[in-house]
Amino acid sequence: MTSDFESTITGTRYSFDSLIEVLAKANEEKTGDELAGIAADAAAERVAAKDALSRVSLATHRENPAIPYEEDEVTRVIQDAVDEDVYEDLRDWTVADLREFLLAEETTEHEIAEIRPGLTSEMIAAVAKLMSNLDLIQATSKMTVTARCNNTIGGEGTLSFRLQPNDPTDDIDNIRNSIREGLSYGVGDAVIGINPVEDNAEQTKRLLEVTKEFIETWEIPTQNCVLSHITTQMEAVANGAPADLLFQSLAGTEAGNESFGIDVELLDEAYAFGKDECTAAGPNFMYFETGQGSELSSNAHAGVDQVTLEARCYGLAKRYDPFIVNTVVGFIGPEYLYDGKQVIRAGLEDVFMGQLTGISMGIDACYTNHIQADQNDIENLAVLLTAAGSNYFISVPMGDDTMLNYQSNSYHDAAALWDIFDVHPAPEFESWLEAMGIVEDGQLTAKAGDLTIFLDDPEAHLPQEGDQ
């Protein structure tokens, strides 16, 4: 019997039983796929799978989602969102055709935006598997996806940062000092977002009030968020907490989301709630985090590879028009991404797939101490993704989050990336930094890193009514 998915490499014929197998074996090497028992056995089989995948039509992907429509609500969200007219124009393209279109010198952002509504997450994952790291950077660099909460991120020539002032005891003074330090380095335009130690409505409300008070006192054009469970945030907001963004972690399968205690009905409820109750100007007020391997860690991967599942996270996120989505790329551990090489590849894949999906995509370029990576790997990834056009990065004091016990980009990394690539914070936020004397002519001033600025009276720094 002849398989629909075959390839001959150096005289050896490889045959694959299903599209799901082709997708998995075409993946670049990932320990998560190896753990799941679905990875290519050797480099030659991986090349053969890529070759077979390149000839698969987009219609075949549409008609064969990773998990059947009737079995998974994430699949239903992705399939139901497809613009049928756009899809009809694309259905006969192969995955190779899509790759050539994205990388063609003459293809513009406008043309990419026109085809987005006709793509499914499986198509997007498939084309990522055919791309080298440089291909991913080049294609991503063509895509601009903006979003607005209290400021606007993702614009051409901008690079934003989440200020993450976590504390292992949720100590309010320590959190405030970390916010002061981060702002003094010019970061915080994506969000001032805290991972709480205690996931309860009372503590969530307390932290939201602290961050909102700081933002309002210093008239900062940014947004706040506390990353407790979405139901905890909704309870806190219903009790009067001021939240600009609502947060939730996502998975790419219905079963994976069940492990997070969520489903589409709850996310729909949270989205409607946020429209009425969030304190931001909007229109974008949702924040999602993802990460390759999360479905495998909860035994909810359904035999699907982690890149395809990650793309499905973005298809689900798109339903809620989020302000920011980020992949926490190296946090999950070496069982899923073994070393710096795999983390870098995953980060490039994820931002590419998110941007092609059409969401405002960023990354936590990070690693844990039990993974075979170091700070140089993460800085390399930050450089590559700034070149690619990531909307934002997460930043923590000295690159070391003492609450979550992992390493990421530091507050002061931002200045280096802005300088190397001649990019800037969100425009409203940069204007505020200039008014504060922290930035002048696009460069940090001598005030950079001096958190004592924010121990003064705000009137000593902010322009007053009538000032010219």
Side-chain angles (χ1 to χ4, degrees):
M1 180 180 294
T2 301
S3 168
D4 291 334
F5 310 107
E6 293 185 337
S7 179
T8 300
I9 302 295
T10 61
T12 301
R13 186 172 70 87
Y14 295 86
S15 181
F16 306 97
D17 293 335
S18 67
L19 182 55
I20 294 304
E21 183 183 6
V22 175
L23 283 167
K25 293 191 173 182
N27 229 10
E28 291 297 297
E29 187 175 0
K30 303 285 176 63
T31 48
D33 294 335
E34 293 169 2
L35 179 64
I38 59 176
D41 291 333
E45 187 180 28
R46 182 173 299 111
V47 171
K50 288 177 186 287
D51 179 57
L53 181 61
S54 72
R55 295 189 296 275
V56 176
S57 71
L58 299 190
T60 300
H61 284 286
R62 177 78 194 282
E63 294 159 7
N64 297 274
I67 306 174
Y69 185 93
E70 61 276 9
E71 296 178 12
D72 189 276
E73 65 177 6
V74 177
T75 300
R76 294 192 286 275
V77 166
I78 294 165
Q79 293 277 349
D80 293 349
V82 171
D83 184 310
E84 298 297 342
D85 291 335
V86 177
Y87 166 69
E88 283 301 315
D89 291 338
L90 305 175
R91 60 173 294 126
D92 294 331
W93 286 19
T94 64
V95 179
D97 291 332
L98 178 56
R99 175 184 178 274
E100 293 304 309
F101 169 81
L102 293 170
L103 295 176
E105 186 174 353
E106 61 271 19
T107 300
T108 65
E109 155 61 24
H110 176 71
E111 290 169 324
I112 294 173
E114 285 185 327
I115 72 163
R116 279 193 183 109
L119 301 176
T120 67
S121 300
E122 285 83 356
M123 300 173 196
I124 290 169
V127 74
K129 295 166 190 284
L130 298 189
M131 291 187 169
S132 69
N133 287 6
L134 186 57
D135 291 341
L136 293 169
I137 293 167
Q138 182 187 5
T140 307
S141 71
K142 297 183 177 190
M143 296 184 268
T144 301
V145 181
T146 62
R148 178 169 179 79
C149 187
N150 289 323
N151 61 21
T152 305
I153 66 171
E156 191 73 28
T158 66
L159 175 63
S160 298
F161 287 83
R162 170 183 159 188
L163 196 168
Q164 183 169 295
N166 294 345
D167 182 79
T169 63
D170 281 346
D171 182 275
I172 295 302
D173 287 338
N174 288 343
I175 288 170
R176 283 199 184 101
N177 282 333
S178 187
I179 293 172
R180 292 175 178 122
E181 182 184 19
L183 290 169
S184 75
Y185 279 112
V187 306
D189 52 340
V191 62
I192 299 175
I194 301 172
N195 298 86
V197 176
E198 299 179 60
D199 192 325
N200 60 62
E202 180 180 355
Q203 184 68 343
T204 296
K205 182 173 185 285
R206 179 170 175 245
L207 294 173
L208 284 168
E209 288 171 341
V210 167
T211 51
K212 193 66 171 180
E213 178 187 22
F214 200 102
I215 289 169
E216 290 182 343
T217 297
W218 289 93
E219 301 176 14
I220 309 168
T222 189
Q223 32 284 320
N224 73 334
C225 185
V226 171
L227 285 71
S228 49
H229 193 271
I230 188 71
T231 54
T232 305
Q233 295 165 75
M234 292 166 69
E235 181 182 351
V237 171
N239 291 333
D244 292 322
L245 293 172
L246 294 179
F247 164 84
Q248 181 55 48
S249 295
L250 296 182
T253 66
E254 182 175 337
N257 284 319
E258 286 175 358
S259 73
F260 287 140
I262 62 170
D263 56 21
V264 171
E265 182 180 6
L266 176 59
L267 293 174
D268 286 351
E269 179 187 349
Y271 183 63
F273 177 86
K275 274 187 175 180
D276 292 333
E277 303 297 336
C278 280
T279 49
N284 310 113
F285 52 86
M286 299 297 287
Y287 174 11
F288 298 115
E289 285 189 348
T290 66
Q292 287 192 30
S294 64
E295 299 84 3
L296 180 57
S297 71
S298 58
N299 196 28
H301 61 97
V304 181
D305 70 274
Q306 60 190 47
V307 171
T308 301
L309 292 175
E310 184 70 8
R312 286 165 56 91
C313 293
Y314 308 145
L316 175 58
K318 188 176 181 179
R319 178 181 178 92
Y320 306 103
D321 199 15
F323 179 65
I324 48 178
V325 179
N326 72 263
T327 168
V328 190
V329 69
F331 185 78
I332 197 166
E335 301 88 350
Y336 312 97
L337 297 171
Y338 179 73
D339 57 15
K341 180 180 179 180
Q342 292 190 17
V343 168
I344 288 170
R345 173 68 189 190
L348 295 175
E349 290 167 340
D350 293 354
V351 174
F352 162 78
M353 293 191 298
Q355 294 285 76
L356 185 53
T357 301
I359 56 176
S360 172
M361 189 72 197
I363 188 168
D364 190 351
C366 63
Y367 66 100
T368 55
N369 288 321
H370 64 311
I371 197 171
Q372 299 300 307
D374 60 26
Q375 203 67 25
N376 285 330
D377 292 311
I378 296 312
E379 291 178 6
N380 289 345
L381 178 55
V383 168
L384 294 173
L385 279 174
T386 304
S390 177
N391 276 13
Y392 78 101
F393 293 94
I394 287 180
S395 60
V396 301
M398 296 301 293
D400 184 14
D401 189 309
T402 57
M403 193 277 276
L404 293 175
N405 196 28
Y406 80 115
Q407 280 64 52
S408 184
N409 288 120
S410 69
Y411 294 157
H412 54 276
D413 288 346
L417 294 170
W418 290 327
D419 183 57
I420 293 166
F421 290 95
D422 192 23
V423 291
H424 301 264
E428 307 93 331
F429 191 80
E430 185 173 38
S431 295
W432 176 80
L433 292 171
E434 290 170 346
M436 288 291 298
I438 295 170
V439 165
E440 184 177 344
D441 297 328
Q443 300 290 321
L444 290 176
T445 69
K447 291 185 178 181
D450 182 6
L451 61 82
T452 64
I453 300 167
F454 298 99
L455 297 176
D456 294 339
D457 183 343
E459 292 187 1
H461 297 274
L462 292 168
Q464 303 302 305
E465 188 175 350
D467 289 351
Q468 297 299 315

